[in-house]
Amino acid sequence: MKTFYAEEQKHHNPKGFLSSGAPQPNPEKPERVERLLAGARAAGSSIHRPRNHGLAPIAAVHTPEYIEFLENIYRRWQLIPGASQEVIPNIHPINRSGSYPASAVGQAGYHMADTSCPISAETWESACWSAWTAVEAAESVMQGEPAAYALCRPPGHHAFADVAGGFCFINNSAVAAQRLRMGADRVAILDVDLHHGNGTQGVFYKRADVLTVSIHADPVRFYPFFWGYADERGEGAGLGYNYNLPLQRKSGDDVFLEALQSACKRIEAFAPQALVVALGLDAFEGDPFGGLLVSTAGFGRIAEAIASLHLPTVIVQEGGYLCDELGDNLTAFLTGFGSAA
Ligand SMILES: [Zn+2]
């Protein structure tokens, strides 16, 4: 299986975020890329650079005002006397259907869900290349590759059509799914990241052509708190096309694989022509977030179960943070996928 990745994705280097109100180093570090590249190589994957695909595939998922915000907010922020180095919001609208402010501070609050997605001079460039990596992987699958791995960084699944959040700016999995839709009537997205894929759910919530399925730690006591419950099933034409499988904290391989069976059943019933796997590796038992207890071998079993759907598959990297086994977990997933495909 080919891996897609561009060096520019490493330039984004967020300094901090708030955890339970306390300033902490941001865990979404560029070093993640080195570990993941090593993991992909160990699985026998070759690394390929994506092309610049322009704004069209990003604009197919995100609003014009949000794209303009992401592209320009760092420069605008520097004009504010006494402002922080990185763009970090400090006020949010209770009602998002109200007015749209002209102020950079107001727009930061409007377009950023939390403090964990600071924007620096390099963020927009890295986020675009991350999205183009997803597009390139989608195109290679559309041209007949059975599967491709997009080493996307920064990640994407917490980004809504017009809101960043949780280390995410452009929703790479949604961009890949939308690109696949150009050659497929129905596309499914299966999100196995530790955290609920709230942005992806939000993008497709009212649509029946893209099924969104997410397995994650129960948000009742875990980020993103306000989304990811089992009763969120879609809306309007999309009713029944969103499927959430929240798991109790500290669940291990067997519980995860049981939920995955239900997820695969739902995907088979939908009969998509292509699949996007939003691959977070932070459900790992040794991940710093410590929400679930999936083992390294468990990622291999998860991959085998997904591969047995026998769908053209784009694997998009989401979370998974620095720990000794980060690369091994990717190797286990890609190897497991290849052995069962
Ligand atoms: Zn995550």
Side-chain angles (χ1 to χ4, degrees):
M1 179 188 321
K2 285 182 182 168
T3 289
F4 293 96
Y5 167 71
E7 272 300 303
E8 288 87 343
Q9 292 171 235
K10 252 174 81 173
H11 297 170
H12 169 65
N13 187 8
K15 299 292 177 264
F17 82 129
L18 296 180
S19 178
S20 305
Q24 300 286 350
N26 195 302
E28 207 286 279
K29 296 187 193 316
E31 191 189 339
R32 294 179 60 239
V33 163
E34 300 305 332
R35 311 276 185 102
L36 293 167
L37 279 174
R41 285 196 187 99
S45 184
S46 52
I47 317 294
H48 302 262
R49 183 179 165 80
R51 292 162 292 173
N52 175 334
H53 289 272
L55 285 182
I58 297 167
V61 164
H62 294 284
T63 65
E65 67 189 16
Y66 179 60
I67 291 173
E68 199 179 315
F69 166 82
L70 285 181
E71 193 172 356
N72 297 303
I73 190 62
Y74 178 77
R75 182 186 48 76
R76 294 170 59 201
W77 199 257
Q78 305 315 305
L79 304 175
I80 305 171
S84 55
Q85 184 63 33
E86 299 178 311
V87 180
I88 299 170
N90 55 257
I91 181 167
H92 302 278
I94 300 255
N95 176 9
R96 293 195 80 250
S97 62
S99 302
Y100 185 67
S103 144
V105 174
Q107 288 181 6
Y110 187 87
H111 289 300
M112 300 166 89
D114 53 49
T115 60
S116 60
C117 43
I119 294 174
S120 62
E122 305 82 9
T123 303
W124 171 244
E125 179 196 36
S126 292
C128 283
W129 280 102
S130 189
W132 293 331
T133 286
V135 172
E136 197 76 36
E139 291 194 349
S140 98
V141 165
M142 290 167 80
Q143 284 155 16
E145 289 287 334
Y149 170 59
L151 202 174
C152 292
R153 187 267 165 190
H157 74 151
H158 296 307
F160 288 74
D162 65 350
V163 181
F167 316 142
C168 302
F169 304 91
I170 297 173
N171 194 315
N172 309 307
S173 291
V175 165
Q178 190 63 35
R179 187 71 189 80
L180 288 168
R181 273 285 287 109
M182 292 174 83
D185 293 335
R186 289 179 310 282
V187 175
I189 303 177
L190 171 60
D191 189 319
V192 297
D193 188 279
L194 165 64
H195 304 94
H196 174 242
N198 55 335
T200 315
Q201 169 176 305
V203 168
F204 297 110
Y205 206 57
K206 294 180 179 171
R207 288 170 51 173
D209 58 329
V210 179
L211 172 72
T212 46
V213 180
S214 181
I215 305 172
H216 48 266
D218 193 332
V220 73
R221 291 189 185 279
F222 210 69
Y223 186 92
F225 301 110
F226 310 113
W227 304 268
Y229 298 88
D231 61 1
E232 294 159 19
R233 299 181 53 244
E235 213 176 281
L239 184 63
Y241 296 93
N242 185 74
Y243 187 32
N244 284 333
L245 293 142
L247 306 181
Q248 209 176 353
R249 287 280 297 273
K250 308 289 178 192
S251 295
D253 292 350
D254 291 342
V255 172
F256 199 104
L257 283 155
E258 202 182 309
L260 183 58
Q261 266 190 4
S262 304
C264 288
K265 241 188 212 165
R266 180 67 192 91
I267 291 167
E268 276 176 332
F270 179 65
Q273 289 111 358
L275 176 69
V276 174
V277 179
L279 176 63
L281 296 166
D282 43 3
F284 177 54
E285 56 192 348
D287 188 271
F289 279 97
L292 293 172
L293 300 177
V294 172
S295 68
T296 298
F299 284 111
R301 292 169 66 197
I302 289 168
E304 283 172 28
I306 297 171
S308 67
L309 289 166
H310 298 297
L311 289 167
T313 301
V314 180
I315 299 164
V316 175
Q317 185 65 47
E318 297 286 358
Y321 300 91
L322 291 181
C323 57
D324 289 343
E325 299 85 350
L326 179 58
D328 297 339
N329 291 338
L330 179 62
T331 307
F333 186 94
L334 295 179
T335 307
F337 195 93
S339 71

